[in-house]
Structure formats: C-alpha cells, structure tokens
Amino acid sequence: MVRYLQRVKPLYVRRTCEIRVVLSVATCSCALAAASTFASSFSLRVCAQQTEPAAPVVVQPGAPGKPTRVLPPTMKGTLPPISPADAQFMQGMIMHHAQAVEMTALIESHTDNNDLMSLGARISRSQSDEIKFMKRWLASRGQPISHAMPDMRHENVSHENMSHESMALMPGMLTSEQMEALRKAKGAEFDHLFLKGMIQHHGGALTMVKDLFDTAGAGQDAELFNFATDVDSGQRAEIRIMQNMLERKPLKEKR
C-alpha cells in the first residue's frame, strides 16, 4: 500500500500543478479580455469625443484698424442686392428660351434629319434646365418670374397671339409669321427654316448678354455672371454647328 501511494503521489502532485497552471492561464486570459474590452470602450468614447464636429464659427473682418467680430450662429446670410437689369435679363431670357424649346418640339414630327434631331434634343435639354435655374434665381431674390404683360388693345386677342406679342420684344426671337411658316414646313424646307431661325434666335441671346454687361452695375452677381457667360459661349458654339450644317446641305429657298 505504501509503495502504491509512493507511485500515485507524484502523479497527483503533477496533475494538481497542471490544473493550477490551466486555472492561472484562464484567469489571466479573462483579465486580459476584460482589460482589452475596457480599453476599447474607453478608446471609442475618446474617438467619439474627438470626432464630434465643432460648431462653425463665422468671423466678420473689421474695418482697417478695427478688430474682427465673431458672428452669432443664429445670424443668416443675405444675398447681395441685384441690379434691375439683372432681373430683366433673367425674365427676358426665360421667354427667349421658351420659344427655342417650342421650336425644337416641332422637329420630331417635321423632319427625319438625324443630325437636326440630335441638335434639337441638345438645345431643348439645356435650355429647359436653364429655364428652371433662372426661375429659381428670380424666386430666391423675390423677383417675379416674368415681365408684366403689355396692355392689349383688343379683348379678342388669343392667349397664343398675346404670348408671341410679348416675346417678340426680345432680340432674335421669331415673329408670329416665322413660327407659322416653320410649323407648316416639312422635310428639307423645315430643316432650312429651323436652322436659319435658330441661328437668328441664338444671335439674339448673344445681344442680350452683351446688353447686360454693357449696363453699369449689372451682371455683378456671381451666379448670374457665370450663367450669362455660359449662355454666350454655348450659343456661339451652337451657331457654328448650325452654320456648318447649312453649308453641308445647301437648301434652295422657295420662290
């Protein structure tokens, strides 16, 4: 029995030590995991605090020799005052663009010229978008979208004729007679009338831009300036395209 115990005792002691080692390792692992969790949680809180956006600060520069002033966050910016010529330009260009869109709407049913269809789609899309921009620009500045309609002498004038009467005031716009001729034309004749008419129309837009910038105090608004210069460059490019189309396919005018 004594010999048996002598053989078993070392084994028992060894097993006990192994269990203690395992328990110690497990305890250390739990402690490390808890410490890691705590550190991660603390780190996340610190990062969250560091990444919170700071409140914007608006500083108004002072006059020469005067200190700057920090404006309160409740203060709202105001748009700079506009020239009456600015609003008149936008109002007139809305009407001007509207006739161009009306002209392009005739293309699909009046010609099968693919080049003209492509050009018309481009003009219609760009000028429709620009009409929306001009309306937003005027509305944001408290300006009416359109000019006041002129007084009509006869009560039986239709809305369509009244619209053309007012729009004819804008440079380059087609007269009622020109629009009627365009509606009646088909095929090659339509192509010719459309290109000639749209070149005239675009030329009027260039005149409007020039008149704007020639007016003292006008065209200083940044958005208006960028828009007007885009109109000028874009319509000059389209005029060249249309002139090339006329030269490639010369069409005989009706006698």
Side-chain angles (χ1 to χ4, degrees), residues 15-55:
R15 299 286 180 169
T16 303
C17 290
E18 290 175 356
I19 292 172
R20 286 176 179 172
V21 170
V22 170
L23 290 174
S24 297
V25 171
T27 302
C28 290
S29 298
C30 290
L32 288 172
S36 177
T37 302
F38 174 77
S40 299
S41 176
F42 178 76
S43 177
L44 287 173
R45 287 197 298 271
V46 170
C47 289
Q49 292 174 356
Q50 291 177 347
T51 56
E52 287 181 358

Side-chain angles (χ1 to χ4, degrees), residues 145-181:
I145 300 301
S146 60
H147 289 297
M149 299 297 291
D151 294 332
M152 306 305 292
R153 297 180 179 180
H154 305 288
E155 295 182 359
N156 61 347
V157 175
S158 67
H159 174 75
E160 180 181 357
N161 289 336
M162 182 173 65
S163 176
H164 283 302
E165 185 75 19
S166 64
M167 289 194 298
L169 300 174
M170 307 313 302
M173 295 189 69
L174 275 63
T175 64
S176 300
E177 292 76 14
Q178 286 178 299
M179 286 297 297
E180 186 61 25

Side-chain angles (χ1 to χ4, degrees), residues 110-178:
H110 287 65
T111 184
D112 56 1
N113 185 328
N114 291 328
D115 290 339
L116 196 64
M117 288 181 179
S118 177
L119 174 68
R122 169 180 167 175
I123 293 173
S124 178
R125 182 170 54 251
S126 64
Q127 301 212 9
S128 295
D129 289 343
E130 288 173 355
I131 287 173
K132 294 175 184 177
F133 163 76
M134 290 185 284
K135 287 181 177 180
R136 287 195 303 268
W137 188 93
L138 287 165
S140 66
R141 289 157 178 79
Q143 299 294 320
I145 300 301
S146 60
H147 289 297
M149 299 297 291
D151 294 332
M152 306 305 292
R153 297 180 179 180
H154 305 288
E155 295 182 359
N156 61 347
V157 175
S158 67
H159 174 75
E160 180 181 357
N161 289 336
M162 182 173 65
S163 176
H164 283 302
E165 185 75 19
S166 64
M167 289 194 298
L169 300 174
M170 307 313 302
M173 295 189 69
L174 275 63
T175 64
S176 300
E177 292 76 14
Q178 286 178 299

